[in-house]
Amino acid sequence: MDQQGLINFPSIDKVTIILEMTDPAWAVPSIQLLLLHSEHPIRIIALPGSLEFPPIQQYFEKEAPIEFWSYEAGIDPVNQALGTIETTFAVLMEDRIMVTPRWLSSLIWPCLDEERVMVVSPMSPSEQLDGKLNLWFQSHADLVSYAEDHHPRNQGLWRQVPVLTGSCLLFRKELINELGGFDPLLRSRELKVVDWCLRARMLNGQLALCEDVYVQALHSLEPRRGEKILSDEWNVFCSKWGVERNSYPLKYLSELNISECSMEPFISLIYDPYYITVIVLVSEVFPNRLESWYQINLEQTYSRIQWIGVLLGTHQEQPLSDSEMWGKLDALIKVREVEQWHEALEAALILVKGEAIIFINSSRAYESDYVTRVVDFMYRESADVVVNTGKGIPNLHAQVHIPQEPLPVPLSLTAHRCIEDVGSYVKSIEEFYFIPRSSLRAVYWTKGMEDE
Amino acid sequence: MNNNPIRKTTGNRLTAMMQVRNESKRYLASVLHDLSEFVDEIVIIDDASTDGTFELCQSFAKVTRLIKLDKSEFNHEWQLRQRLWDLAVSTDPDWLLAVDADEFYEERAKVHMRELINQDQYDWVGFRVFDFWGGLTHYREDEFWRIHERHTRLLVRYLPDFYYFYPRMDHHVPRLPLSYAVLPGFLAELKVKHYGWAVSKEELYEKYVRYMSNDPNGEWGSLEQYQSILDEHPTLIEWKEDPL
Amino acid sequence: MKYMIFCHNGWGDFSYKRMLKLLPDREEVLVVGDVMAQDELDYGVDSVSLTNMLSLDLTEYSVIVCSPYWLQTVIPLQPRYMIALLERCPNDQDAEMWNKYSELLAAQADIVGTASERIYLEQCLRREGIFLLSGESPLTYGAVSYRQDTLFLNDYESIWFEALSCLNKGERLEQWVCVQWGIRCKYYVDLVTEYPNHATISYMAATYLYLLGRSPEAVHYLVNSFEQMVLHDYLDCLHSHYRFFSSMAAQTGELVKAINIYAVSVYSEEDRLKVNELWNWLEHGKVDLVKAEIFRLNEDYASAIRTLTPLNTSESKSLLRNNYVQTFCYEDVLRLTEESSLSHEEDGGISFVDNQLIQGTVHMLHNRHYEAVTAILTATTVELSALQWLSEMSSYEESAERMLRSTAYEQ
């Protein structure tokens, strides 16, 4: 190791950095610091965290080694990104992380020092267990001063830890080959990372903590998606790892005996986005002119849709041609009497192939990204049932509301997963309703205070 | 709706509350007789007595609530105090007088009792308690025996919505909830005669042994005070009953 | 957004210099008075003399006012937004005057910040839009680029930044007020687990839970605090601690309990009459009035005002006016009096004299000296003692003059 603090490496190819972006105000400085302080050539894959995440390409030069991916509803972008890594080393981090000079080579060092090291983390506020360090700096300049003083003094200092939870992890590509990606049943980042690290240990991989590197981590003033651990997710985690449900917080994980865990550690990275069934309910009592309604409302941005139409009544006043009636539908069920709506719906349900059903009625108008947003919402909130009660399309600031008891909700604003005994359907004179089973995770999105 | 003032200036009922343990051979009968003259109701918890104390209490008409514990809680005094308080409060009282089985109020105190409680300016009354020593004619006054120089809170107004609590100690827990200290009180120059120490030398020695075995490290009380129980020549002052 | 800073004792004593780097939508930052050249460079500010400031159009500026003595100068200039930074009374100032006019400053301002948690909590119980400019957390919550560097923001700096951003967009501030309460609450609740026998820490946890509308949880902490006070012999807590339970009961709608608790805590004839009035209202179904009065009696004027504002009876407006008087929202007092033609004598609210004094104060703050004096003299026709207010007015003006002389330089 040379005197000035730079470790001489055998030549390494680029390092891939997968950056999860949650806030443009964080992402921009985070990327800027990555470009500034990474002493090796890097390739950044920037993943937007939501449909509404604004473009930030304009803050960077065209030549900057950054790929801005677009958001896709219903898939885990991190798992997708992990599948594209071709470099020996890669980093998974969130945009809350502000890196420091020579962070990258310091993180790589344990992998060179010990071949079983698979995942490496710096000291930071985002590590919840070993490695947790909260330092306050007024500015980036102060942070750099600290790093330039502290890092060389402790150069190469690293140790093995039983688990990592943080927002900045360097890992070997070969780990992905053997381990795959994050467990899709887990939603909160902390649990996903812990699960991944424990699986790595099942393969005799080691987890390393670099005590010679500190990266700053920003915190959010208000709770963000993926921060809170949901109880059903915690149950899944506990069953999986044989951990007592009451042992939260995670500090007891350090005592876990990995050799007693017998599950298959590999989880495939390959996912297809959700295949969704949209049931289009057209009733003669609904006023819209069908042909134009079909043209507008069935043009959806989401691609993997099975369209099933349910036509109630004879539409004497608006006779339709065959092709008009079909539109984009994959299946069409027609009944002469509106009163037979339940049977028609049952027939439609038999034909469903999607993982979730979204209902649209020809009595309403839907934006072209309605299905995309519903899928996105359902996926992000891990909801079994989604109800749009706001006046319009849900947005980034939509509030989630889970009532004590699920109420009947208009079918035209509802979506639910295809699970057993999900609920029942009823009809009033003018509207169709869905009543979710009470134990389900039914999530209502609202816009401001305009709900119910 | 409740338009009645929470502090009554007339018609206040006075309820005595007492915890007893094997007192039948001592002053209990006299105390209950005495109390019956000036209180409206008496509420008692018998801490697992084995000498007929329970039956003695039962024989007094003004004892309207009487509970006997199967197992003594003497060593968890705050629990005992809490039980007695809950029992007393269940009678929906106006004023409560916390009495020990060996305490007697001087005549003047009994006469002024109603005056003390039929007002709405203060919520408790402190009395001067005198520790009679070795007999019923003299009280003790020396280094560790000066309780009469301050006031002891013995009479309180019950306010249903006030917050009551006892400190969680095993011994020397005050008779009445500590929270009364934040309410205004009246320090009366009225006397209470405590005959608990007005006993023979042998019984004093027994008491000493009992204190020392309950609290050998002086955690709850003062070891020097326990020692002073055995003093050969305590300073004794002749008791003079005040005229009415 | 253009900002203009009005310090109390000149730039040297201004304790929020770093904040100036963190102002959102920062176009221009001017400081009235002398500023060292190096500081101008470091903090990106420009100094402006008082005379020159007066020639600018302040309707384009957000003004940051650090002293109640600037009110008379600043209010008539009608700045776009007024940001008040409140301090404890400095040693060389008259406390009564400083505190009163600081309240008037807070009442005028669109947003208030203070580094003192005591002042912060007092103000939270008086009005909306109050923020704490201090904290203990070493965590970083935001990053703001400033020249070639990136500045990291801690919790209160981030909240203040977001709040000022909302202000600049004309949006409401409540969301950020609640976020701050949440952070303070968590801090104290965590501290209680470490120091369960500390009365003040439990009290703070209770207070923040109460502010967040979580009275059922707040009660447990208040109980603990009350017990600790008594166990440690701090017995003067009947009003501060015990009576607070009545406010919590009012918040959860348990009005019978609230009135009973309040009744336990009062002994004077006047206060007992108030208790009867509360029972009377409750019997007649005037639950909002009961709620509002219980809040007011517990000095939670903000909750009282929130409860009364949507109501429309003369009784409710009279109570609302009382609350405005006690929180120095003088312009609201006058507006309400006029709008509702509230009388002075019958409703037992404010007297004619007080109304005149309030008018006089408002005139004075708007630099309408003649009208101010007229209002006072009118008051003196009813009550000669109102004359002393004239001397208060001139004391205030003298202090303001002294400050102007010492901080602003004439070109």
Side-chain angles (χ1 to χ4, degrees), chain A residues 103-397:
Chain A
W103 70 288
L104 193 50
S105 45
S106 301
L107 288 185
I108 294 176
W109 169 248
C111 293
L112 301 178
D113 198 21
E114 164 57 64
E115 64 178 7
R116 285 189 299 158
V117 168
M118 289 289 151
V119 187
V120 187
S121 172
M123 306 288 286
S124 87
S126 76
E127 274 302 324
Q128 294 307 319
L129 302 169
D130 242 330
K132 188 178 185 76
L133 185 57
N134 288 321
L135 296 177
W136 163 250
F137 299 101
Q138 295 219 4
S139 68
H140 170 249
D142 289 352
L143 176 62
V144 166
S145 290
Y146 168 84
E148 289 184 334
D149 179 52
H150 174 90
H151 294 180
R153 276 198 275 132
N154 298 290
Q155 195 177 295
L157 198 63
W158 69 273
R159 60 185 163 87
Q160 222 191 98
V161 289
V163 75
L164 293 170
T165 68
S167 304
C168 181
L169 303 166
L170 178 129
F171 55 93
R172 294 182 200 266
K173 171 177 162 47
E174 57 187 87
L175 182 66
I176 303 299
N177 300 340
E178 294 171 47
L179 202 59
F182 289 139
D183 187 339
L185 292 177
L186 301 173
R187 278 282 167 268
S188 69
R189 199 174 189 288
E190 204 177 305
L191 280 191
K192 278 156 69 151
V193 167
V194 167
D195 175 79
W196 197 57
C197 289
L198 292 177
R199 281 155 47 210
R201 281 180 53 204
M202 283 181 78
L203 300 174
N204 278 327
Q206 286 184 9
L207 311 173
L209 178 68
C210 281
E211 289 176 308
D212 60 342
V213 189
Y214 175 82
V215 299
Q216 188 61 293
L218 301 184
H219 294 76
S220 170
L221 285 170
E222 292 176 291
R224 293 207 171 170
R225 207 167 283 118
E227 268 179 17
K228 194 162 171 236
I229 296 180
L230 304 171
S231 60
D232 45 357
E233 158 184 49
W234 178 242
N235 287 340
V236 164
F237 182 85
C238 291
S239 317
K240 194 173 168 181
W241 292 102
V243 166
E244 281 302 314
R245 271 163 190 63
N246 299 331
S247 69
Y248 191 80
L250 296 168
K251 55 178 168 246
Y252 303 104
L253 286 175
S254 315
E255 289 135 26
L256 196 63
N257 192 346
I258 288 294
S259 54
E260 284 177 11
C261 300
S262 57
M263 79 196 85
E264 166 57 53
F266 180 78
I267 291 183
S268 167
L269 290 175
I270 316 276
Y271 293 106
D272 287 324
Y274 278 168
Y275 186 54
I276 297 296
T277 301
V278 177
I279 293 187
V280 183
L281 208 58
V282 179
S283 169
E284 69 183 9
V285 300
F286 296 155
N288 285 321
R289 178 156 172 75
L290 266 179
E291 185 191 335
S292 44
W293 185 85
Y294 267 148
Q295 268 171 8
I296 299 168
N297 291 276
L298 266 59
E299 277 307 314
Q300 288 289 326
T301 53
Y302 197 78
S303 53
R304 297 168 49 83
I305 299 179
Q306 173 199 27
W307 295 94
I308 301 181
V310 174
L311 207 63
L312 308 173
T314 52
H315 302 268
Q316 295 286 18
E317 284 156 43
Q318 297 172 40
L320 292 165
S321 71
D322 229 24
S323 64
E324 278 170 344
M325 212 178 329
W326 273 96
K328 289 172 82 134
L329 303 176
D330 297 300
L332 175 58
I333 294 164
K334 299 195 280 185
V335 289
R336 202 178 280 274
E337 305 294 331
V338 175
E339 290 72 40
Q340 288 182 298
W341 69 274
H342 202 276
E343 289 85 340
L345 193 53
E346 295 280 304
L349 291 172
I350 294 172
L351 294 169
V352 166
K353 291 194 216 163
E355 291 167 64
I357 305 174
I358 299 179
F359 293 90
I360 69 179
N361 282 13
S362 59
S363 61
R364 285 186 201 270
Y366 298 84
E367 299 273 338
S368 61
D369 59 356
Y370 181 71
V371 174
T372 301
R373 285 180 180 276
V374 172
V375 170
D376 183 43
F377 199 78
M378 182 179 274
Y379 182 79
R380 279 182 344 204
E381 297 297 333
S382 299
D384 298 313
V385 179
V386 170
V387 184
N388 175 15
T389 60
K391 294 196 170 47
I393 307 297
N395 57 32
L396 191 65
H397 303 294

